[in-house]
């Protein structure tokens, strides 16, 4: 028993010395290839066995013949271990290089494709993560391209919309200045109308910039939908009369919501203005508010005849107007984008869908906390 303990002790000391030496070597080559690391690990394992054997032999527990036999066996094990480590290392390095080449496609705006062939579990996990990241990056690039295209369109359209009233204002002011205006009062009224239109456009741009910058500060309070819709209908009544459109607000439940009254009034006002302008004379625009499993749904239904299916996903995009005609009634294409921004700031959702004869815009808001 005592001899066994001594053999174990000398073997441990010899193997520990080899292990410490191997750890030092690994520390020195920590930035080298995995091939070198695997070779060192295999060499340390064999060296630990050989060092333990030599330590036991020095303690006279092995004869010279037995030591020669063990050394020969260890030498053969060393050759096989190193060859296996080198093969494994080269295979792992090859797979890593293939993965690195595939990942370079990110920088070129391409998609990541997992290299063919078997891989270790860790490399397979890394490939899946890179593939998932590639998908998210592709979606992000697509959104960025769409936003950039929307920004360019917005700049072009706003420039056009600003230039038209400004040219009219200059012409009318010159006519008044030269005294050639037949009806100065009419010119002054038209100038006021154009200035108000420009003011509304600048206000929409400012509101949209606050929304995009995340600087829209809300002051929520408890409001009844009945009061909110009633005020919005009263504000849009004059425009509806001008266009010969009937406003209906019959199905409105007095459900309380926690919203910013001013901003939500703007949402309803934009939806009503949009609906009235696109509904033909003698048409009807209906407003409804009711509970749903998802919260409270405010809807504005018009008689515009419907929106082309290919345009439905773009309705709330900045600058979308639904027509190529750059006429003043079309607006600056900011109203619906503002609607979506304000609604999403309230943790809600704005959607649109076609119905027979027109379309329905729906705003879904969370109910008041005490009602949830």
């Amino acid at each position: 028993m005592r001899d066994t303990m001594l053999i174990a002790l000398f073997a441990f000391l010899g193997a520990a010395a080899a292990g410490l030496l191997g750890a030092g070597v690994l520390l020195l080559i920590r930035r080298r290839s995995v091939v070198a690391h695997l070779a060192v690990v295999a060499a340390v394992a064999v060296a630990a066995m050989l060092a333990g054997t030599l330590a036991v032999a020095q303690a006279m527990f092995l004869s010279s013949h037995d030591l020669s036999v063990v050394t020969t066996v260890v030498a053969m094990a060393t050759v096989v271990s190193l060859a296996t480590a080198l093969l494994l290392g080269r295979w792992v390095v090859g797979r890593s290089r293939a993965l690195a080449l595939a990942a370079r496609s990110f920088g070129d705006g391409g998609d990541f494709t997992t290299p063919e062939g078997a891989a270790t579990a860790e490399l397979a996990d890394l490939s899946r993560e890179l593939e998932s990241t590639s998908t998210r990056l592709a979606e992000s690039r697509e959104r960025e391209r769409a936003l950039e295209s929307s920004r360019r369109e917005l700049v072009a359209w706003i420039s056009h919309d600003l230039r038209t009233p400004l040219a009219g204002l200059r012409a009318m002011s010159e006519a008044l200045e030269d005294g050639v205006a037949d009806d100065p009062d009419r010119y002054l009224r038209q100038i006021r109308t154009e200035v108000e239109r420009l003011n509304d456009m600048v206000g929409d741009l400012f509101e949209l910039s606050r929304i995009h910058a995340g600087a829209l500060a809300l002051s929520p309070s408890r409001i009844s939908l009945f009061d909110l819709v009633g005020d919005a209908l009263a504000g849009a009544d004059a425009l509806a009369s001008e266009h010969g459109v009937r406003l209906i607000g019959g199905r409105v439940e007095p459900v309380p919501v926690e919203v910013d009254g001013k901003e939500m009034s703007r949402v309803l006002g934009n939806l009503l203005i949009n609906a009235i302008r696109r509904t033909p004379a003698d048409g009807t625009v209906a407003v409804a508010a009711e509970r749903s499993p998802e919260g409270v749904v405010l809807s504005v239904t018009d008689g515009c005849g419907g929106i082309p299916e290919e345009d439905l996903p773009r309705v709330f995009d900045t600058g979308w107007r639904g027509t190529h005609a750059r006429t003043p009634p079309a607006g600056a294409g900011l109203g619906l984008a503002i609607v979506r921004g304000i609604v999403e700031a309230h943790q809600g959702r704005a959607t649109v869908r076609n119905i027979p004869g027109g379309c329905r815009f729906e705003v879904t808001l969370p109910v008041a906390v005490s009602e949830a």
Side-chain angles (χ1 to χ4, degrees):
M1 184 65 181
R2 181 174 177 275
D3 290 346
T4 303
M5 294 294 294
L6 288 174
I7 290 172
L9 177 61
F10 283 114
F12 173 77
L13 292 175
L20 290 174
L21 179 61
V25 175
L26 287 174
L27 184 62
L28 291 175
I29 65 169
R30 61 185 179 276
R31 291 186 174 85
R32 295 295 185 86
S33 171
V34 69
V35 177
H37 287 77
L38 288 174
V40 171
V41 170
V44 167
V46 176
M49 184 187 304
L50 182 60
T53 302
L54 292 175
V56 171
Q58 288 294 327
M60 305 300 292
F61 288 102
L62 286 177
S63 64
S64 58
H65 177 269
D66 292 340
L67 179 61
S68 175
V69 171
V70 171
T71 304
T72 302
V73 172
V74 171
M76 294 301 101
T78 302
V79 173
V80 174
S81 298
L82 288 175
T84 303
L86 290 174
L87 288 174
L88 176 61
R90 288 177 63 85
W91 178 75
V92 172
V93 168
R95 291 295 301 172
S96 299
R97 287 176 178 170
L99 199 59
L101 288 174
R104 287 181 185 175
S105 61
F106 286 166
D108 300 331
D111 296 329
F112 175 81
T113 302
T114 302
E116 297 181 358
T120 63
E122 292 78 10
L123 290 178
D125 288 341
L126 180 58
S127 294
R128 284 190 291 270
E129 286 297 325
L130 288 173
E131 202 165 341
S132 175
T133 302
S134 172
T135 301
R136 291 195 296 270
L137 285 174
E139 294 173 351
S140 178
R141 285 194 294 266
E142 186 62 30
R143 286 194 300 270
E144 184 63 27
R145 281 193 291 266
L147 286 173
E148 184 60 30
S149 175
S150 177
R151 291 189 191 101
R152 287 196 297 268
E153 290 179 354
L154 176 63
V155 170
W157 293 348
I158 289 296
S159 299
H160 176 278
D161 290 341
L162 289 175
R163 188 180 297 115
T164 300
L166 287 175
L169 288 171
R170 182 172 62 182
M172 287 184 287
S173 63
E174 289 176 352
L176 290 171
E177 185 178 17
D178 296 338
V180 296
D182 296 333
D183 187 355
D185 290 338
R186 182 174 66 84
Y187 275 52
L188 291 173
R189 288 194 298 272
Q190 185 63 31
I191 288 175
R192 180 179 178 83
T193 299
E194 294 296 336
V195 169
E196 289 178 351
R197 181 178 159 214
L198 288 172
N199 182 68
D200 291 341
M201 192 181 302
V202 172
D204 285 346
L205 284 171
F206 178 68
E207 183 80 358
L208 194 62
S209 67
R210 288 200 303 160
I211 291 171
H212 287 171
L216 183 62
L218 299 177
S219 301
S221 60
R222 191 180 183 86
I223 302 175
S224 171
L225 285 180
F226 191 85
D227 296 335
L228 192 65
V229 172
D231 292 343
L233 289 174
D237 185 65
L239 181 65
S241 299
E242 180 183 343
H243 286 74
V245 174
R246 292 184 300 276
L247 287 179
I248 298 177
R251 294 190 301 110
V252 179
E253 297 183 17
V255 183
V257 288
E258 291 281 346
V259 296
D260 186 309
K262 178 182 177 182
E263 297 297 341
M264 198 52 59
S265 294
R266 182 163 195 162
V267 166
L268 279 175
N270 285 359
L271 290 177
L272 284 171
I273 291 171
N274 180 73
I276 291 170
R277 285 177 173 171
R278 284 167 172 77
T279 298
D282 294 330
T284 300
V285 172
V287 182
E290 53 194 354
R291 298 174 186 267
S292 78
E294 298 178 352
V296 178
V297 178
L298 279 167
S299 64
V300 176
T301 305
D302 60 36
C304 67
I307 299 172
E309 292 295 327
E310 62 272 15
D311 285 342
L312 282 176
R314 294 196 58 205
V315 167
F316 292 99
D317 288 353
T318 301
W320 185 86
R321 304 191 186 192
T323 176
H324 296 295
R326 316 312 300 162
T327 55
L334 305 179
L336 294 179
I338 291 173
V339 165
R340 180 174 62 180
I342 294 175
V343 170
E344 290 180 351
H346 283 86
Q347 307 303 314
R349 185 178 72 255
T351 58
V352 61
R353 58 188 174 90
N354 284 325
I355 61 171
C359 58
R360 176 173 294 157
F361 288 83
E362 294 184 346
V363 171
T364 303
L365 297 170
V367 296
V369 176
S370 60
E371 295 289 323

